Amino acid sequence: MTPDKLFEEFTSGFPARKFSAGLLMAFIDLYTELGIPSTGAANYQGVIDLFPRQTTTSGGKRANTLIVARPDGSTLSLRPFYNAAERFFRAENKRFDYPSCAPHATQAWADYIPWLDALSTFDAAQLTALRQRVAEYVLAELKSQAFDPGSVKIEPPLFRLLLESFEMTAQRGEPTGAAFQGIVFGFLRADNPHLQIEIDKVRTGSKRLQRVGDIDGWEGARLAISAEVKQFEIKEEDVPDLEAFANDVGRRGALGLVAALGFRDGVRGLIENIGVKPLDTDDLLRIVELWDPLKQRTAVASLIYYASHVEKNSTLTSRIEDFFKALLEDPQPPSNEAIGE
């Protein structure tokens, strides 16, 4: 059998037994390592006469793969050569349609004695050329599944950029506190998709609406999380005003949050002492930095929903839309001056 004839036989059987590619390459590598081209062996039996086949492993178990003994007493197994061929196709060249079946493949070696016979008669150059043809054939037949970065649309971390650059205090034509309340709503909505998040316009009065905080998150009939939103820096004298909220949250067994633009020194501890958690923009940013872009998109969509359908303030809605328009046109976060602030 000539190299061309062997290659033709290999390609005809490849669709049904793809592992035969790695097996043929492993046969070639085994013969090359043993130096078969220089031995004058006429067939597989001639190889075995020189390098006796071992029917047991070093552990005393029956050998399912081809193992031969060298004159120095060491042994050489087909399996490592097959493993290398499989790594070449799957790991190095990302042909994951090539099967991961090394034990099965190397146990099938005896089905290919005619190949071993033919390989015994090839010189070193013929073995090398045939191995290269097999590798190139498989790479051409099987589609590469290597990750293509160009196939992924990279989304910017929109909500993180908003927290970093958006002016959260009220601008002319906007209700005081609306921008920051919408941002906190977007944060809670994205971070708690298992809850029903309720919110109303600023200054509507939580008590009058029979709610606990400015933003409430419900699991059915149970209050799970509630937030008071303050668009200013909380000082020590502001803490007593939060005690009723903290008491109401505590009675319901819910998580209470006080979201503010900042806290004066020592105020965080005072707020925690009444049983609720302080949360400022830096805290929000640290959490949001761990979000994937899709979660950030949810938060942005929730903010826009709040501005346009809850607060129904066209000035705030336009400011948010202008911010993101400028952001997507320019990779650098837009300044407030750039969007007409």
Side-chain angles (χ1 to χ4, degrees):
M1 189 185 302
T2 65
D4 287 342
K5 181 62 177 177
L6 198 161
F7 182 75
E8 180 182 339
E9 187 172 303
F10 153 68
T11 56
S12 65
F14 176 76
R17 306 186 88 183
K18 290 183 175 63
F19 68 81
S20 64
L23 201 55
L24 180 50
M25 291 170 64
F27 288 157
I28 293 172
D29 291 343
L30 176 68
Y31 273 21
T32 299
E33 178 67 21
L34 292 173
I36 298 304
S38 63
T39 64
N43 51 33
Y44 164 70
Q45 186 56 52
V47 173
I48 295 305
D49 289 341
L50 295 170
F51 304 96
R53 181 189 165 211
Q54 306 299 292
T55 57
T56 59
T57 66
S58 58
K61 297 182 179 180
R62 184 172 69 88
N64 293 321
T65 189
L66 178 59
I67 302 175
V68 297
R70 288 171 161 175
D72 63 4
S74 63
T75 61
L76 196 61
S77 171
L78 181 68
R79 178 64 178 271
F81 296 110
Y82 184 86
N83 289 345
E86 188 174 281
R87 283 196 303 272
F88 171 79
F89 291 126
R90 290 179 58 84
E92 296 175 26
N93 287 284
K94 309 299 186 273
R95 295 323 197 258
F96 296 119
D97 289 327
Y98 184 87
S100 177
C101 62
H104 170 73
T106 53
Q107 287 178 32
W109 72 271
D111 295 341
Y112 296 90
I113 296 297
W115 290 8
L116 290 166
D117 284 335
L119 293 171
S120 303
T121 65
F122 299 166
D123 61 32
Q126 289 175 314
L127 290 177
T128 299
L130 178 59
R131 189 187 192 283
Q132 184 66 23
R133 288 182 72 186
V134 171
E136 291 176 352
Y137 173 82
V138 174
L139 295 181
E141 286 292 305
L142 302 183
K143 182 179 179 180
S144 173
Q145 298 180 49
F147 173 69
D148 177 14
S151 67
V152 178
K153 179 182 178 182
I154 299 177
E155 293 192 30
L158 296 176
F159 200 67
R160 191 200 80 194
L161 295 172
L162 178 87
L163 290 173
E164 291 175 341
S165 304
F166 190 72
E167 178 54 60
M168 299 183 191
T169 57
Q171 304 298 295
R172 180 179 299 176
E174 299 175 10
T176 302
F180 188 53
Q181 181 158 298
I183 287 171
V184 176
F185 169 71
F187 169 82
L188 292 176
R189 175 69 183 80
D191 208 44
N192 299 276
H194 58 295
L195 300 179
Q196 299 294 325
I197 307 296
E198 290 187 348
I199 190 171
D200 282 288
K201 294 182 178 183
V202 292
R203 298 195 300 275
T204 53
S206 300
K207 295 300 181 183
R208 181 167 58 82
L209 295 172
Q210 297 184 331
R211 288 220 318 272
V212 177
D214 295 315
I215 306 170
D216 290 337
W218 297 87
E219 181 190 37
R222 185 183 75 86
L223 182 69
I225 188 169
S226 185
E228 278 285 282
V229 182
K230 306 298 182 184
Q231 189 189 277
F232 53 82
E233 184 182 61
I234 295 182
K235 303 181 289 295
E236 183 175 346
E237 53 266 33
D238 298 318
V239 176
D241 295 335
L242 301 171
E243 291 179 354
F245 166 72
N247 182 59
D248 209 356
V249 168
R251 287 191 299 105
R252 293 169 178 263
L255 173 64
L257 302 175
V258 174
L261 294 183
F263 301 94
R264 290 284 179 88
D265 291 344
V267 171
R268 284 179 175 273
L270 296 176
I271 290 176
E272 289 176 347
N273 286 341
I274 62 174
V276 291
K277 302 293 184 182
L279 202 66
D280 65 13
T281 52
D282 288 337
D283 297 321
L284 294 175
L285 189 56
R286 278 192 292 272
I287 296 170
V288 170
E289 284 177 338
L290 302 178
W291 287 3
D292 62 80
L294 299 183
K295 190 171 183 178
Q296 299 208 29
R297 188 203 301 168
T298 297
V300 169
S302 299
L303 167 62
I304 294 173
Y305 162 79
Y306 167 79
S308 58
H309 294 288
V310 177
E311 201 62 53
K312 297 181 179 179
N313 183 268
S314 59
T315 302
L316 177 58
T317 301
S318 296
R319 187 160 71 94
I320 295 169
E321 291 174 348
D322 289 346
F323 176 88
F324 287 114
K325 181 180 179 181
L327 179 66
L328 295 175
E329 291 175 351
D330 184 349
Q332 297 299 319
S335 65
N336 291 312
E337 290 77 9
I339 57 174
E341 300 289 31

